[in-house]
Amino acid sequence: MDLHGVIHDNPIKRDSWKTVLTLAYQSLGVVYGDLSTSPLYVYKSTFAEDIQHSETNEEIYGVLSFVFWTLTLIPLVKYVFIVLRADDNGEGGTFALYSLLCRHARVSSIPNCQLADEELSEYKKDGSVSNDKSVNGSSLKSTLEKCRVLQRVLLVLSLIGTCMVIGDGVLTPAISVFSAVSGLELSMSKEQHQYVELPVACAILIFLFALQHYGTHRVGFLFAPVVITWLLCISAIGVYNILHWNPHVYQALSPYYMYKFLKKTQRGGWMSLGGILLCITGSEAMFADLGHFSQLSIKIAFTFVVYPSLILAYMGQAAYLSKHHIIETDYRIGFYVSVPEKIRWPILAVAILAAVVGSQAIITGTFSIIKQCSALGCFPKVKIVHTSSKIHGQIYIPDVNWTLMLLCLAVTIGFRNTKHMGNAAGLAVITVMLVTTCLMSLVMVLCWRKNVFLAICFIFFFGSIEALYFSASLIKFLEGAWVPIALSFIFLVVMYVWHYGTLKKYEADVQNKVSINWLLSLGPSLGIVRVRGIGLIHTELVSGIPAIFSHFVTNLPAFHQVVVFLCIKSVPVPHVRPEERFLVGRVGPKRYRLYRCIARYGYRDVHKDDVEFEKDLVCSIAEFIRSEKPEFNMGIEDLGDDEKMTVVGTLSSNFEGIKLCEDDAYSSDMIGTSEMREIQSPKRTRKRVRFIVPESPQIDMEVQEELRELMEAREAGMAFILGHSYVRAKRGSSWMKKVVINYGYDFLRKNSRGPTYALSIPHASTLEVGMVYFV
């Protein structure tokens, strides 16, 4: 799960103990909501049908032993002590591992990668990488880089993990809320209960999804207190049950009881592992939400609060059940039967609140991971609403939200019991963990430079445990486990079709781009009349002249005095620093006034609104013009096609560079200080634009003239040329390719959103140019 929580985006590494403890407190509400509500349904799902509770207590002791060791080995040992160290500059999750691998081996699925991207600060900043060379690691890296099949397997593996997280976003709210509401069964007859439980659960789910557009920050202050209250309640009830019913229940923590359990129950016991698996639901959140907390804070919260509370809760339930062998009906073996009767109603209220908190975390995490997939070209572009002006990580995706709600209600109404929901949720959870284990073994070799034998031991030990649970969940295919498989298959098809179509479209753009010789043959005027203003051409290309430009020039008799080829691209890092945002260069000779600007964003970065982005764009070009040197310019990368690209920061990060002033009047209040000097354009009736540049070094007349021309063009306005490249499968292609390109990708393209910056552009300033490629 990938959640943007209720705290600041910047990961905090080395801070005071006060800060660490504050983060640990906040993480309880954001990270552990799902994991802490698992006692509601673990025993009920385990004893659903596969095994029966007997007077010998071997079944209940065996289940308790399995729960204890599963919680100890997977969340505590695997995640807390190993996986949390594999952060991507402070970020965690499936995509963080994939991004980390892409930077240490050239296996990236992003087509427009550049050598200049490898110079980014966060691209190389990785404290866990050793300088020691590993022969085995080098051979593995070489194999991955050469074999396209392995690269695709790696991408599909990451996408499967991502799809299962999305599936978990459907199943977790359903099982958490339904299990919490099931407490009503103890205060009414079964006939009445079945008519009340379902409507109440659906009403809570609809209310939960309807609240999403308000944003996590509006209700987030309740998260940590609710989870802490819930953990205190279940641990206190656990201690009471242990002391009151069976003080010797601690003996069941011995691994010997697991052996006795499997020996007695055999196939039924193995199948019941799918229910036991639910005790670690939500463990992946510890790694996925690493970017909002520190490793130490997450470790402290789990080790000293969550882990002991859950162990006491499970031991308390086992102690109660060990002295209550006669259960009238199966549905009364759940959590609430072990709660003292006098406090059942308050506990029911707290449980429902805790279930809502746990559901909120996975829903917001689903929004975040879909945003990451979209940024890396693996999901169609959707509308993303930022619900907080201060915390950019908090987002809301309306289309996804209502889709999740409908699917969640369908699962709740369709199953109506925790057994089938548990089977479905268990398979989704264990699949994500298996994917994490596989990717972690590669990270150990390629990123940490550890011995291959150590990585094999890691994947064998934890993979064996998870494979056992996976097999037990998969055998329940017809009893609910088909749901996450079906959901994941649908999302996987959507993601892969979009990625494949995007890749083919980019390859077609590269093959059809225009050579620099064509541009030179047109002359400085480009063979047409140059009109005032800036023409902004959006393209996916990072070098060369897009075919859209030649198509436009061929069909129209005029073009703008300043032309900018804009490429907005994502790079496999979580964040790009503002001072490294833009790559700016020229296309053709200086007198042509053609520029290329590449805006780079990480998969967690927030794109600015159009007005602010336009200012940053114009200032980056102006700063490039001012700082450009005729030769031997530092920080310039040669990207082919006679283009040189210079790294330029945004307006807010470039304190010593050019500043942009815009106003509607020519007041004297806008005059700069004595240390600054203005390059002014002739008076116009439109908005006034001024560049304020440092007094030194001295700017020659040619640079001043180019800056003045850029100002005049900015004053005249900016026109956006949006290129639409349509791809079709060429004749002779296989029927599969025709279906994927002509129908699948075309349908997704028509229903996805355009470039973010182009959404609020006035229609009068927009020109659209379309071309069809056959691939």
Side-chain angles (χ1 to χ4, degrees), residues 17 41 78 94 130 138 143 146 199-200 287 297 300 321 352 433 465 492 501 547 577 593 608 610-611 723 759:
W17 278 104
Y41 43 80
K78 176 187 169 182
T94 305
S130 172
S138 300
T143 304
K146 291 178 181 178
V200 172
F287 182 48
S297 64
I300 289 175
L321 293 173
I352 292 175
M433 292 183 175
I465 297 172
L492 184 62
R577 292 182 177 181
R593 303 297 191 251
K608 293 185 176 181
D610 59 314
V611 176
L759 297 179

Side-chain angles (χ1 to χ4, degrees), residues 96 183 466 709:
E466 291 161 357
E709 190 169 346

Side-chain angles (χ1 to χ4, degrees), residues 550-594:
S550 64
H551 186 63
F552 185 86
V553 170
T554 305
N555 289 275
L556 288 179
F559 209 77
H560 299 87
Q561 66 186 110
V562 175
V563 178
V564 179
F565 297 104
L566 174 65
C567 174
I568 298 179
K569 59 178 286 190
S570 295
V571 290
V573 296
H575 304 283
V576 175
R577 292 182 177 181
E579 57 268 25
E580 300 174 323
R581 176 76 65 209
F582 294 105
L583 279 173
V584 185
R586 294 187 185 276
V587 179
K590 182 181 292 188
R591 63 184 183 277
Y592 283 24
R593 303 297 191 251
L594 268 63

Side-chain angles (χ1 to χ4, degrees), residues 258-266:
M258 291 192 291
Y259 168 75
K260 289 182 67 176
F261 171 80
L262 292 176
K263 183 179 180 180
K264 180 178 180 180
T265 58
Q266 297 181 357

Side-chain angles (χ1 to χ4, degrees), residues 699-758:
I699 299 180
D700 59 34
M701 294 301 296
E702 189 178 4
V703 173
Q704 289 189 39
E705 179 61 30
E706 191 172 359
L707 287 173
R708 185 173 290 109
E709 190 169 346
L710 180 61
M711 278 190 299
E712 291 177 1
R714 172 61 175 162
E715 283 184 358
M718 188 176 290
F720 296 82
I721 293 87
L722 301 180
H724 297 285
S725 300
Y726 305 99
V727 289
R728 291 286 185 272
K730 58 187 176 183
R731 290 184 179 180
S733 301
S734 64
W735 67 269
M736 179 65 76
K737 185 176 182 180
K738 290 179 180 179
V739 169
V740 170
I741 295 295
N742 296 349
Y743 298 100
Y745 178 72
D746 189 59
F747 174 79
L748 294 175
R749 179 190 57 78
K750 289 179 180 178
N751 290 276
S752 65
R753 295 170 68 86
T756 306
Y757 71 89

Side-chain angles (χ1 to χ4, degrees), residues 599-718:
R600 301 178 292 183
Y601 289 89
Y603 56 79
R604 285 185 181 269
D605 279 332
V606 178
H607 293 229
K608 293 185 176 181
D609 60 68
D610 59 314
V611 176
E612 202 173 350
F613 181 79
E614 285 179 27
K615 289 183 179 180
D616 279 343
L617 181 65
V618 173
C619 276
S620 66
I621 297 172
E623 179 62 24
F624 165 75
I625 294 171
R626 183 187 73 86
S627 60
E628 186 182 25
K629 296 179 182 180
E631 57 183 349
F632 303 116
N633 191 9
M634 298 300 292
I636 294 180
E637 297 288 344
D638 187 356
L639 298 180
D641 286 352
D642 297 323
E643 293 182 38
K644 305 283 186 178
M645 303 296 286
T646 303
V647 177
V648 181
T650 61
L651 185 62
S652 59
S653 67
N654 197 2
F655 298 108
E656 298 180 356
I658 287 182
K659 304 298 179 184
L660 177 68
C661 291
E662 293 183 345
D663 62 330
D664 296 319
Y666 289 93
S667 63
S668 58
D669 296 337
M670 295 297 294
I671 303 298
T673 63
S674 58
E675 297 180 358
M676 305 294 283
R677 161 168 62 89
E678 298 182 20
I679 298 177
Q680 301 186 21
S681 63
K683 290 189 177 182
R684 305 286 179 183
T685 56
R686 300 189 181 187
K687 179 176 288 188
R688 184 190 186 196
V689 178
R690 300 184 300 164
F691 289 132
I692 301 180
V693 300
E695 182 65 33
S696 60
Q698 188 67 31
I699 299 180
D700 59 34
M701 294 301 296
E702 189 178 4
V703 173
Q704 289 189 39
E705 179 61 30
E706 191 172 359
L707 287 173
R708 185 173 290 109
E709 190 169 346
L710 180 61
M711 278 190 299
E712 291 177 1
R714 172 61 175 162
E715 283 184 358
M718 188 176 290

Side-chain angles (χ1 to χ4, degrees), residues 4 8-11 88-92 99 103 117 120-125 290-292 371-372 392-393 570-581 600-606:
H4 285 258
H8 296 286
D9 270 343
N10 295 330
D88 180 14
N89 297 299
E91 302 293 340
S99 172
R103 298 209 305 274
D117 297 338
L120 291 169
S121 301
E122 291 205 359
Y123 200 98
K124 292 187 174 181
K125 185 178 70 178
L290 182 60
H292 309 290
K371 177 181 180 292
Q372 293 178 32
H392 289 164
S570 295
V571 290
V573 296
H575 304 283
V576 175
R577 292 182 177 181
E579 57 268 25
E580 300 174 323
R581 176 76 65 209
R600 301 178 292 183
Y601 289 89
Y603 56 79
R604 285 185 181 269
D605 279 332
V606 178

Side-chain angles (χ1 to χ4, degrees), residues 50 266-275 423 472-473 475-476 479:
D50 302 312
Q266 297 181 357
R267 187 175 186 273
W270 168 61
M271 293 181 67
S272 70
L273 293 178
N423 294 337
S473 298
I475 202 69
K476 305 278 188 72
E479 299 176 17

